[in-house]
Amino acid sequence: EAQVTQNPRYLITVTGKKLTVTCSQNMNHEYMSWYRQDPGLGLRQIYYSMNVEVTDKGDVPEGYKVSRKEKRNFPLILESPSPNQTSLYFCASSLSRTLYEQYFGPGTRLTVT
Amino acid sequence: SQKIEQNSEALNIQEGKTATLTCNYTNYSPAYLQWYRQDPGRGPVFLLLIRENEKEKRKERLKVTFDTTLKQSLFHITASQPADSATYLCALGGDKIIFGKGTRLHILP
């Protein structure tokens, strides 16, 4: 089954404790992206990757890091999480950056206390 | 800066009627526009894509129009059903992808 998986689905952590949210897709997609979704603000892009070893900032990259060492994986790293990073995070993948639909993962609900 | 607006945060429609959702944008010239459906606690699911040179696209009970002069897209669900209740997101595509905040649609039985 074609899918995007994320882990963990739920995470409660404390300020400053480094964490990684994993994302994996099994569709051989070139394009992958991370979004955060907050009430009243909608979906905002954090980082995206057009292919292996190619990443770029989205609209809200501050406080996040990403890497793309393999085509299927695109982890999101929070080196020093802060409470304003409490949010619902979605990973998405697509055949390419433009003109194709994005497939979204199930989401990771992160709470930073 | 680019701005994308979807009409009303919530929309109530009687079952069987046509639901029409609006997506307006400014300061952007998208090459295409997409519509997604999102259920509570789940990731968005792609519904339709329409390109800038297309006026209308249909898929079963769904219809999307795209007017680049008005900078507006309309999303229609005909013969609406309670199962159509969800949040619907529009997304503009081009140099970057921008999502609207969504419209919560409630189909009343």
Side-chain angles (χ1 to χ4, degrees), chain B residues 13-43:
Chain B
I13 299 292
Q14 205 65 41
E15 182 178 4
K17 302 291 186 185
T18 296
T20 299
L21 285 64
T22 305
C23 179
N24 293 296
Y25 60 93
T26 56
N27 298 327
Y28 198 52
S29 296
Y32 61 94
L33 189 146
Q34 299 176 333
W35 284 89
Y36 289 81
R37 169 184 172 139
Q38 186 175 22
D39 292 287
R42 293 179 174 260

Side-chain angles (χ1 to χ4, degrees), chain A residues 9-10 31 35 37 40-45 48 59 88 90 97-107 109, chain B residues 9 31-32 34 36 38 41-47 49 51 89 91 93-102:
Chain A
R9 293 289 314 279
Y10 303 91
Y31 182 82
Y35 295 88
Q37 189 173 40
L41 295 177
L43 270 171
R44 294 179 293 167
Q45 193 175 50
Y48 63 91
D59 292 321
L88 180 58
F90 289 104
R97 184 181 180 187
T98 61
L99 284 175
Y100 289 95
E101 67 267 31
Q102 293 190 76
Y103 292 79
F104 283 81
R109 186 166 293 280
Chain B
E9 288 188 17
Y32 61 94
Q34 299 176 333
Y36 289 81
Q38 186 175 22
R42 293 179 174 260
V45 174
F46 171 78
L47 296 174
L49 179 151
R51 302 179 188 215
L89 309 173
D95 289 342
K96 55 195 298 187
I97 299 167
I98 307 170
F99 278 86
K101 295 176 184 178

Side-chain angles (χ1 to χ4, degrees), chain A residues 1-107:
Chain A
E1 180 193 353
Q3 61 181 350
V4 177
T5 56
Q6 294 179 228
N7 282 294
R9 293 289 314 279
Y10 303 91
L11 180 60
I12 301 174
T13 189
V14 296
T15 299
K17 186 176 181 184
K18 180 179 178 180
L19 67 92
T20 299
V21 184
T22 65
C23 172
S24 183
Q25 51 94 3
N26 63 359
M27 295 168 279
N28 202 35
H29 284 169
E30 289 189 350
Y31 182 82
M32 296 186 74
S33 182
W34 275 103
Y35 295 88
R36 60 178 290 174
Q37 189 173 40
D38 302 288
L41 295 177
L43 270 171
R44 294 179 293 167
Q45 193 175 50
I46 302 170
Y47 268 95
Y48 63 91
S49 168
M50 292 203 278
N51 214 325
V52 175
E53 302 292 359
V54 181
T55 63
D56 210 344
K57 296 177 181 179
D59 292 321
V60 288
E62 295 78 21
Y64 305 94
K65 284 176 59 176
V66 293
S67 68
R68 187 95 180 271
K69 294 185 171 53
E70 304 167 284
K71 198 171 188 178
R72 62 183 294 127
N73 296 325
F74 190 44
L76 179 70
I77 303 154
L78 284 71
E79 294 268 3
S80 182
S82 62
N84 65 11
Q85 292 179 298
T86 292
S87 187
L88 180 58
Y89 290 87
F90 289 104
C91 179
S93 74
S94 178
L95 270 173
S96 75
R97 184 181 180 187
T98 61
L99 284 175
Y100 289 95
E101 67 267 31
Q102 293 190 76
Y103 292 79
F104 283 81

